Amino acid sequence: MKQLVNAPDQVVTEALQGMALAYPDLIRVHENPHYIVRADAPKNGKVALVSGGGSGHEPMHGGFVGLGMLDAACPGAVFTSPTPDQIQEASATVHGGKGILHIVKNYTGDVLNFQMAAELLQSDGIEVRTVIMDDDVAVKDSLYTAGRRGVGATVLAEKICGGAAEAGASLDEVAALCSSVNASARSMGLALGPCTNPETGQASFTLGENEIEFGIGIHGEPGRQRIPLQSADTLTEMLMIPILEDLPFKKGDEILLFVNGLGATPLLEQYIVYRAAETVAKKHGLKVSRRLVGAYMTSLDMAGISITLLRLDETMRQYWDAPVRSPALRWGL
């Protein structure tokens, strides 16, 4: 696999240096340990939102640091959890006196390291809340998790809760909203082909020429089954039905529909999937009132797609529409 890298053990450091040069008006990047904070951090009198995880899922999470989104993001090595000292230092750097919300995808390493960092912060007198995101309906447990995996709903929570924090909501209010987003969202994805880790040069898995992984995880973890490649409309409906049945979504529900490319899937194909997904949603009596299409939560260069549905309430709609200015998202300004 051809890749634009220099030294494999420097990919995260060099990528962060590139981000710092590309967005000096939006973010500051700290090295040793690695973390990204908004350029105007800390924002006094505001709840600070902090998230993170292994690198390789860009733009999540560093691309979502900025006005109306995260205050800090902690990138680990590729597909490897950030360390407690990263999380603690990043959180302390952005603490503005109103407490900190940690938004954590449900992967064992992330959960444990954020928990340890929260305990260290609390021992220093900083109030911390943690919300674990576990929206993936594909499998109950996986190679990286106890319980369901955290995937696309994390992007939505960071946007919605970022808007609430920016508007002055309290720590308890922002944490409750984040929990509500997680409880109201369901996701599922599939892979047409594997990703290649630049630090190892190895593909994460192998598939037959006409085979897909249905229910894939964002680190290449196995899903529900391997099945033959079929039409976009058929595969989209196969993803949508388990999502719709799991919450369950009901006729008349107002939803946000998020179609996400996993890294190597062109927008042309993402829009074909979105077309099919909205058709299925409407067929089931759902009202699609908010939409997001693009590669916002990737798995390096994996070819594939994921779909997230979020059942909206008035508060979620309000903060989804709030202004945001981060490297990966800019609207309402």
Side-chain angles (χ1 to χ4, degrees):
M1 177 62 68
K2 299 182 182 72
Q3 296 178 314
L4 292 171
V5 301
N6 296 306
D9 62 349
Q10 291 298 307
V11 291
V12 174
T13 297
E14 292 180 356
L16 291 173
Q17 291 169 348
M19 284 189 70
L21 292 170
Y23 305 107
D25 57 326
L26 299 180
I27 61 171
R28 302 196 312 267
V29 173
H30 187 275
E31 296 185 37
N32 193 30
H34 288 143
Y35 57 86
I36 304 163
V37 301
R38 52 190 287 176
D40 56 357
K43 292 289 290 182
N44 292 327
K46 173 190 170 298
V47 173
L49 269 61
V50 180
S51 192
S55 295
H57 304 302
E58 290 74 21
M60 192 171 71
H61 297 272
F64 303 141
V65 173
L67 173 74
M69 293 201 76
L70 296 175
D71 293 87
C74 302
V78 173
F79 293 175
T80 302
S81 302
T83 60
D85 66 300
Q86 280 179 272
I87 302 163
Q88 178 192 21
E89 187 171 324
S91 299
T93 298
V94 298
H95 181 231
K98 292 295 184 179
I100 297 168
L101 175 65
H102 286 165
I103 302 175
V104 185
K105 301 187 303 302
N106 188 34
Y107 297 96
T108 301
D110 291 3
V111 172
L112 291 175
N113 289 349
F114 270 91
Q115 179 182 9
M116 189 177 300
E119 292 170 355
L120 293 169
L121 291 161
Q122 288 164 343
S123 70
D124 290 334
I126 298 175
E127 193 173 9
V128 181
R129 300 280 189 279
T130 301
V131 175
I132 307 298
M133 307 299 296
D134 59 355
D135 52 299
D136 188 1
V137 306
V139 293
K140 180 182 177 182
D141 298 294
S142 77
L143 299 177
Y144 289 73
T145 66
R148 291 180 167 183
R149 303 175 292 213
V151 286
T154 312
V155 177
L156 310 184
E158 290 175 0
K159 171 66 181 78
I160 291 168
C161 297
E166 204 75 51
S170 70
L171 179 57
D172 286 343
E173 289 169 335
V174 178
L177 179 58
C178 192
S179 295
S180 181
V181 170
N182 182 59
S184 302
R186 298 292 188 274
S187 304
M188 193 166 177
L190 62 82
L192 308 178
C195 58
T196 302
N197 189 324
E199 294 183 352
T200 66
Q202 300 297 313
S204 54
F205 56 91
T206 58
L207 287 172
E209 185 175 344
N210 196 43
E211 189 176 43
I212 70 166
E213 184 76 37
F214 187 72
I216 192 72
I218 59 171
H219 307 93
E221 311 98 299
R224 290 188 174 188
Q225 57 184 327
R226 292 191 172 186
I227 60 175
L229 178 64
Q230 299 172 60
S231 71
D233 284 0
T234 298
L235 291 173
T236 300
E237 185 163 18
M238 290 176 65
L239 289 175
M240 288 286 287
I241 296 305
I243 292 171
L244 291 167
E245 292 176 345
D246 192 89
L247 192 56
F249 290 84
K250 305 184 297 296
K251 185 175 181 179
D253 283 346
E254 185 176 344
I255 65 165
L256 185 156
L257 175 55
F258 173 27
V259 169
N260 175 71
L262 291 178
T265 306
L267 267 172
L268 183 74
E269 296 175 29
Q270 293 177 40
Y271 287 131
I272 291 170
V273 170
Y274 182 86
R275 165 189 167 273
E278 181 157 325
T279 298
V280 173
K282 290 179 176 177
K283 185 171 69 175
H284 283 76
L286 304 182
K287 178 185 177 183
V288 182
S289 67
R290 301 293 188 277
R291 301 157 176 89
L292 186 64
V293 182
Y296 294 102
M297 178 201 65
T298 64
S299 183
L300 295 168
D301 58 342
M302 185 184 291
I305 204 86
S306 67
I307 298 174
T308 301
L309 268 63
L310 170 64
R311 185 163 63 197
L312 292 166
D313 61 24
E314 179 55 39
T315 303
M316 295 177 196
R317 289 193 297 271
Q318 172 189 352
Y319 292 127
W320 179 259
D321 295 335
V324 62
R325 191 163 183 259
S326 68
L329 284 171
R330 299 171 186 238
W331 72 64
L333 297 174

